[in-house]
Amino acid sequence: MQIHISKSRMKRRIALNSIFRILFFLATTIGLVFLSLLLIRILNQGLGYLTIDFLRNFPAPYVEEAGMFAGIIGSLFLMLLTAPIAIILGVSTALYLEEYAPKNRFTNFIQVNVQNLAGVPSIVFGLLGLTFFVYLFQMGYTLIAGALTMSLLILPVIVVAAQEAIRSVPKEIKEASIGMGATKWQTIWRIVLPAAVPGILTGSILALSRAIGETAPLLIVGAATAIYTIPDSMLSKYTVMPIQIYSWTSRPQEEWQFVAGAGIIVLLVILLCMNAIAVWIRNKFQNRY
Amino acid sequence: MVNNNEQAHSVQEMIKTNKRKNNLLKTSEKSVPIFLLFCATISVLTTIGIVFTLLRESITFFSDVSLADFYLGVNWSPWSGKFGVAPLITGTLLITFIAICVALPLGVASAIFLSEYATNKTRKIIKPILEVLAGVPTVVYGYFALTFITPLLQGLIPDLKIFNALSAGIVVGIMIIPMIASLSEDAMNAVPNHLRAGALALGATRLEVTFKVIIPAALSGIIASVVLALSRAIGETMIVTIAAGASPNLTFDPTQSIQTLTAFIVQGAKGDTTYGSTIYYSIYAVGITLFVFTFIMNMLSQYISRKFREDY
């Protein structure tokens, strides 16, 4: 009798386990389902409008003539300005924290501060940029104001990635370098940084791919929606891909949504390329030691 | 003799160049850390800048509109001079609540599957997919919510407005799934294997191991990940701007159009708001409210994961 009861309990427990295994699996696949729905939907809506002219044209009042050229170039210029600022600041901060900083309260404060900055909503960075860059420094709604705002936004991400990369450089090769008579900075410049470059690059590309899709802060610091020239200086007005997509999405006529779909395809393809490069760098230079 | 002289000369030269080199080295050795420290302080200055900006402009705002009117008022129509922030806060909370209802079960279940059930091979397929999901720009999610999820839901709920909290909330939830899943999975992976093996050896099923051993042990990490995700949902801007509408209603009805704190900041900043007007300053008052909300959440998350970490 007892054996019988425990046997049926056993069966129930095992059955429950199997049911939950399936439930957990289904829950996991919902992300996948959602992603495929999203892609199918966007390809469906946008592919018809994705022509060479769409890539070459400036914004236009008619669906047939609307294009993304200003956005693509604007995003490119924005990234060309953002990347050096954010990477130099980020890697320097990481080097200071990992190699030079004394273990004291101030260092700890910087570290906690970087972590907290990463959690600040992007739109708040937009407000920072609006007050400081647009109004206080009187840059206005220009490319450089947007780039500086974006640099501060992705700074914490780059700092954390660079710190990890620098930390993973083995101690032995640093000590060997010091032992050969190199100074600290020589060691960092010739040994630590080259070894950490793949990690830093991967992190930076991922951070930039976040910046390229970011919309909210740029809406605040005044990226325009209708731009008919490409920026010719750092003080030009500009637009970027996500802002154009946003402006098309928010129009009531349905055909504009197809144009937005085409814009999203372009944006996603660029993002995919950036991510692929990051993954390629990560795999290529992995485990050198 | 001549030879000797020349040699002495070149030795002196050598010493000189060496000294010069050494001096250069010494200066760079000294100046580099100063430059690096300068760069490191930029991040601190950013924080100070954010707090300073928000405080200064909000203080100007609160000299026009009293604190009580702002935080206790229930009517938000800034263009006719009514600045009661409650509708924006309830809008934000509504979105956050819907999002967490979607993301908590799905995110934690995904984490459990990945850390306890999945084989290495499955994990290698699923994790990159979650990473891609986390990398999709929010404007794309917003587009998807407006043009796909809303029409889909309208088939089920005929009264649903075109701009509504439900669709935006669901999509925000899906956006934060990868965050909960990957952080919770890290927490579960950190539970040492001998606990798992011990429970299995005593005859527990995987499910019992999960609920009675792994989750209690990893609870602090899971909660921290959820709180962090809440903060992301509160600060999310584009999805709600596109899909939830711009009508600040004091309601908890998810079929209605609402406005969140973030969506108002966008509306207020991109419109024809003139610099120095009350509406301009109100953006910052809303901004500081948002900042305080997310700051508390982030601190709470860090506190939970530090304080209640189980050490083995």
Side-chain angles (χ1 to χ4, degrees), chain A residues 30-267:
Chain A
I30 283 184
L32 174 64
V33 169
F34 190 86
L35 192 65
S36 7
L37 274 178
L38 188 127
L39 291 180
I40 293 167
R41 172 80 179 167
I42 285 162
L43 286 177
N44 235 340
Q45 293 212 308
L47 219 46
Y49 284 78
L50 187 64
T51 56
I52 296 292
D53 280 340
F54 180 75
L55 297 177
R56 278 198 322 220
N57 283 357
F58 285 104
Y62 310 108
V63 173
E64 301 77 33
E65 293 169 17
M68 218 190 188
F69 189 61
I72 297 172
I73 299 295
S75 283
L76 182 72
F77 282 9
L78 191 72
M79 288 307 117
L80 284 180
L81 282 174
T82 305
I85 302 172
I87 292 175
I88 290 174
L89 283 180
V91 174
S92 302
T93 306
L95 275 180
Y96 177 76
L97 287 173
E98 288 301 314
E99 300 289 340
Y100 284 101
K103 276 208 182 334
N104 59 18
R105 281 197 150 174
F106 183 63
T107 307
N108 199 22
F109 176 68
I110 298 180
Q111 188 71 63
V112 171
N113 178 59
V114 167
Q115 272 171 25
N116 279 333
L117 268 186
V120 173
S122 59
I123 196 162
V124 174
F125 281 93
L127 290 177
L128 175 77
L130 183 68
T131 323
F132 275 92
F133 304 135
V134 175
Y135 288 125
L136 196 66
F137 300 156
Q138 297 189 335
M139 292 173 186
Y141 294 151
T142 55
L143 196 56
I144 185 71
L148 289 173
T149 309
M150 276 305 183
S151 308
L152 294 184
L153 176 68
I154 61 173
L155 183 61
V157 186
I158 295 185
V159 172
V160 172
Q163 270 189 292
E164 252 166 51
I166 292 166
R167 212 177 296 145
S168 68
V169 176
K171 223 176 169 180
E172 291 80 15
I173 64 165
K174 277 194 251 175
E175 280 164 359
S177 167
I178 299 277
M180 298 287 281
T183 61
K184 187 160 188 178
W185 175 242
Q186 282 176 326
T187 304
I188 291 174
W189 186 248
R190 296 182 191 167
I191 305 294
V192 177
L193 269 182
V197 155
I200 292 172
L201 265 184
T202 311
S204 304
I205 294 174
L206 291 180
L208 284 175
S209 74
R210 186 184 153 200
I212 216 168
E214 192 66 71
T215 324
L218 290 178
L219 278 176
I220 307 292
V221 295
T225 47
I227 288 285
Y228 303 99
T229 52
I230 57 173
D232 51 8
S233 82
M234 290 201 282
L235 295 174
S236 300
K237 290 195 158 293
Y238 66 105
T239 186
V240 291
M241 289 185 280
I243 301 247
Q244 288 205 305
I245 294 167
Y246 167 63
S247 97
W248 287 327
T249 307
S250 47
R251 292 181 195 186
Q253 299 88 351
E254 206 193 357
E255 57 262 39
W256 283 107
Q257 295 184 355
F258 301 135
V259 180
I264 289 174
I265 296 176
V266 177
L267 178 62

Side-chain angles (χ1 to χ4, degrees), chain A residues 20-30, chain B residues 109 113 122 126:
Chain A
F20 267 85
R21 173 201 292 267
I22 294 165
L23 280 182
F24 291 146
F25 177 69
L26 286 180
T28 313
T29 53
I30 283 184
Chain B
F113 181 76
T122 340
I126 291 175

Side-chain angles (χ1 to χ4, degrees), chain A residues 13 17 41 45 113 131 183 185, chain B residues 29 47 53 143 147 203 208:
Chain A
R13 287 168 55 204
N17 183 38
R41 172 80 179 167
Q45 293 212 308
N113 178 59
T131 323
T183 61
W185 175 242
Chain B
E29 220 39 57
T47 310
T53 306
Y143 169 86
T147 66
E208 288 157 353

